[in-house]
Amino acid sequence: MRDASGVGSVRRLLILSLVLVALGGAAGFFAFNPPGGGAEAPYRLATLDRGPIIATVRATGTLNPVTTVLVGSQLSGQVVEVLADYNSPVKAGQVVARLYSEQIKTRRDAARADLAQAQADLAMRKAQLERTRAGRLKAEANLRDQHAQRDRATAQLEEARRAETRQADLQGRGVATPTALDAARTQTKVQEAALASAEAQIAALAAELRGLDADLANGEAQVQAAQAAILQREAKLRDVEIDLDRTEIRSPVDGVVVQREVTLGQTVAASLNAPTLFTVAQDLRRIDIHANIDETDVGRLREGQPATFTVNAHPNRTFRGTVRMVRLGAQTVQNVVTYTAVIAVDNRDMALLPGLTANLQIVVDERADALRVPNAALRFRPPGASGAPPTPPLGGAPAVAAEGPRGGGRSMQELRERVAAEVRPTPDQAAEIERILAESRASLPGRDPSLSPEERRAAFGRFRRDLEERIAAALDPERRTRFETILSELRGGPGRDGGTPGRVFVLDRTGAPQPLPVRLGITDGAYTEVTGGDLAAGAAVVVGGGPRPQGATQGPAPARRGPRLF
């Protein structure tokens, strides 16, 4: 009997366990498959509040010294001394390495000897020139003496001629003898000969003086040539001395050696370009970040904007900097255009090292007390408003699945939906808009395969402008203003009151979401500033949820199985 009662107890426990498992499986099934497919799921709401909003531009960059100097060698040769290493502080003019210089010293000694020889030759040329000048002075004195002798001979000739004339008169009167007349004639001829001799001496001395002038000019030219030779030898000596000085590699600035690319005994070759031996960072207490800024964000950057960043070397520390400049030169890599922004950073504690990667946040705008709306509310669209089956026609006319230049049929479908929901055209206006959309589909440009991408974009731009103008012309002024607001929002441009057009949804009295246009300001990625619209702090906006349309599925539904009991 005891065995029978024990078996009965076990059986009852087993049946009770099976019942509990079955009830748990059923509860789980209905929990994951509620009746009605979740059609009555509530909307999720968020409340507008006031608070700070900081708009930032995120980027990555590399830390670099403000000034980096590449210390190289202008000579080829073997490195015989290395006087600096990594992280060595150096001063301007300090020797950091030396090249083998014995051959250059030999060239220097030879150049000095050539210079001394040229200087001695110049001294000899100058002595010869002085001797020529002295000879010329002597010749000038002799010439002046011969001029005096000529004047004397001329005077004596005139006296002899007068004496001859007197003797001739006396002889004619019978007073003088023929001997006295002959003597007077002889004296005249002697004086004429003396005068001719003086003239000849003068001519000879004049010729000699001209020769000495030529020798003097030649001597001066030789002195100038000797002086030029000295200048040439001095230049050659200086060139050799410069090469000798270049064997000592010096740092041009005060700084720290961040790279050493030379070893003792290495031979450097500087035949084509100067090899880099050291890299010296001038002052690491000030450092720059070179950040790559996307072209969509570069227009928001200004000089002096604050920036914060982190580096992996100090993950728990936030550093600060300031935008110093945005370089105008763009870089294009795989059709992505970026600009380089330079952020100045104070690095007095030397915590930041060159080459580190910085994760930047540049503050481009901020509001201390802004009316904020969650970005989820701006992204929310009621079920069926986007990507759903086509909405009913604007005025009862057949729906036209028009394609458009901005995003294809999806953008045109969104435009149709927003015109119907926000512009609310009259039946006549709705029929006219449907006719315009139908005609636009027939005249859609860009299907010609011969068009280039630029030509296709230009054709779509003209098509879009024409379509928007035709729809605006079909509306009355009040509805045209609403339509222009929608266009401005779809384009992403600023509105008339300075903000960017946006749209949120609020629940009406029946619990249905209704669109509400707003003007938006800056955003920090989670919240966006509301600058205009019929919203105030505390207002509730829809951020998600809502009923799912019947039959709407995210994909092929998997085969459902009942709860597995065992």
Side-chain angles (χ1 to χ4, degrees):
M1 293 297 293
R2 291 180 179 176
D3 293 340
S5 61
V7 171
S9 298
V10 171
R11 183 177 300 174
R12 284 193 298 272
L13 290 174
L14 179 60
I15 293 173
L16 180 61
S17 299
L18 293 177
V19 171
L20 291 176
V21 170
L23 291 175
F29 176 81
F30 286 107
F32 288 99
N33 298 274
E40 300 300 327
Y43 290 99
R44 296 194 303 273
L45 303 179
T47 303
L48 273 70
D49 63 353
R50 304 196 72 90
I53 294 182
I54 301 177
T56 61
V57 171
R58 296 179 180 269
T60 59
T62 304
L63 275 74
N64 296 284
V66 175
T67 302
T68 302
V69 180
L70 302 179
V71 182
S73 174
Q74 300 182 20
L75 294 178
S76 299
Q78 186 180 21
V79 179
V80 296
E81 284 187 272
V82 178
L83 304 177
D85 203 349
Y86 291 96
N87 302 341
S88 297
V90 294
K91 298 292 184 181
Q94 178 180 338
V95 178
V96 294
R98 285 191 175 92
L99 302 179
Y100 183 74
S101 60
E102 293 302 321
Q103 293 180 346
I104 300 179
K105 289 180 179 178
T106 303
R107 288 166 47 202
R108 179 197 59 186
D109 295 339
R112 286 178 176 176
D114 291 341
L115 177 60
Q117 181 181 1
Q119 291 173 343
D121 183 64
L122 175 62
M124 182 182 65
R125 299 295 182 185
K126 287 183 176 179
Q128 292 176 351
L129 179 61
E130 290 300 324
R131 186 174 63 181
T132 303
R133 286 174 178 170
R136 188 180 185 284
L137 292 175
K138 182 178 179 181
E140 286 180 346
N142 291 335
L143 181 60
R144 288 193 296 270
D145 180 66
Q146 289 301 320
H147 278 290
Q149 293 293 335
R150 183 186 62 180
D151 295 340
R152 178 182 179 185
T154 301
Q156 290 177 350
L157 176 59
E158 291 177 352
E159 183 181 359
R161 286 177 177 173
R162 288 195 297 271
E164 182 183 357
T165 301
R166 287 195 302 270
Q167 290 296 327
D169 291 342
L170 291 173
Q171 187 180 6
R173 292 195 298 265
V175 177
T177 62
T179 301
L181 180 59
D182 292 338
R185 288 177 178 174
T186 300
Q187 190 61 33
T188 299
K189 292 181 180 179
V190 169
Q191 295 302 324
E192 288 177 351
L195 179 59
S197 175
E199 293 287 351
Q201 288 294 330
I202 289 174
L205 289 174
E208 182 181 357
L209 190 60
R210 288 193 296 272
L212 290 173
D213 288 338
D215 291 342
L216 185 61
N218 185 33
E220 291 176 347
Q222 289 180 352
V223 168
Q224 293 177 354
Q227 291 174 341
I230 289 177
L231 294 176
Q232 183 178 10
R233 302 294 171 81
E234 288 177 345
K236 184 176 180 181
L237 177 60
R238 284 197 300 270
D239 184 58
V240 176
E241 290 176 343
I242 289 174
D243 285 346
L244 183 60
D245 183 69
R246 287 174 177 172
T247 60
E248 294 183 343
I249 311 301
R250 301 176 183 271
S251 173
V253 295
D254 296 345
V256 179
V257 176
V258 295
Q259 288 289 341
R260 177 176 66 83
E261 301 179 12
V262 64
T263 57
L264 185 65
Q266 177 181 345
T267 300
V268 296
S271 57
L272 298 179
N273 53 5
T276 300
L277 307 183
F278 299 91
T279 301
V280 177
Q282 186 171 1
D283 187 3
L284 290 181
R285 292 174 299 178
R286 293 182 298 111
I287 202 165
D288 285 344
I289 301 176
H290 295 175
N292 296 324
I293 307 298
D294 191 84
E295 62 177 330
T296 58
D297 296 325
V298 70
R300 304 161 62 189
L301 265 63
R302 298 290 183 272
E303 181 179 349
Q305 289 175 336
T308 59
F309 64 96
T310 60
V311 295
N312 293 333
H314 304 282
N316 298 324
R317 183 175 175 182
T318 299
F319 299 88
R320 299 185 181 278
T322 304
V323 177
R324 185 159 62 90
M325 72 166 66
V326 178
R327 295 178 177 173
L328 299 180
Q331 299 177 355
T332 304
V333 179
Q334 295 181 351
N335 294 329
V336 177
V337 180
T338 59
Y339 291 82
T340 300
V342 181
I343 292 86
V345 180
D346 189 352
N347 189 32
R348 295 181 182 179
D349 59 354
M350 304 294 289
L352 299 174
L353 304 178
L356 292 178
T357 299
N359 299 311
L360 280 159
Q361 287 188 355
I362 303 173
V363 179
V364 296
D365 204 349
E366 59 181 330
R367 302 286 187 272
D369 186 26
L371 181 61
R372 305 184 304 180
V373 60
N375 286 355
L378 301 174
R379 294 190 298 266
F380 173 77
R381 294 293 180 270
S386 179
T391 59
L394 297 175
V400 180
E403 300 177 2
R406 299 176 62 245
R410 182 176 181 179
S411 295
M412 292 302 300
Q413 181 68 21
E414 182 180 0
L415 179 61
R416 287 185 70 256
E417 294 169 356
R418 297 198 59 178
V419 168
E422 299 176 29
V423 177
R424 298 179 181 178
T426 64
D428 294 340
Q429 294 172 350
E432 178 65 16
I433 293 175
E434 290 292 351
R435 185 186 65 79
I436 293 172
L437 293 176
E439 292 178 356
S440 68
R441 182 182 181 185
S443 60
L444 186 68
R447 297 177 178 177
D448 187 358
S450 63
L451 294 178
S452 65
E454 292 77 10
E455 294 172 338
R456 187 174 290 106
R457 283 193 293 270
F460 274 132
R462 292 190 296 269
F463 170 80
R464 182 185 67 247
R465 288 190 297 271
D466 179 69
L467 178 61
E468 293 171 354
E469 291 174 357
R470 293 177 62 188
I471 294 177
L475 299 171
D476 56 80
E478 181 181 357
R479 291 181 173 84
R480 186 179 303 118
T481 301
R482 301 176 192 171
F483 178 67
E484 291 174 352
T485 302
I486 295 174
L487 293 181
S488 180
E489 181 180 345
L490 292 177
R491 294 172 186 150
R496 293 183 177 179
D497 58 357
T500 301
R503 181 177 59 168
V504 296
F505 285 84
V506 297
L507 298 181
D508 59 11
R509 295 179 179 179
T510 63
Q514 295 296 325
L516 183 65
V518 292
R519 297 292 182 183
L520 305 176
I522 64 174
T523 179
D524 60 2
Y527 291 91
T528 298
E529 177 190 19
V530 178
T531 60
D534 297 332
L535 287 176
V541 292
V542 182
V543 295
R548 290 177 296 175
Q550 295 294 331
T553 60
Q554 301 294 329
R560 294 180 178 176
R561 298 179 180 179
R564 185 174 180 178
L565 302 182
F566 300 100

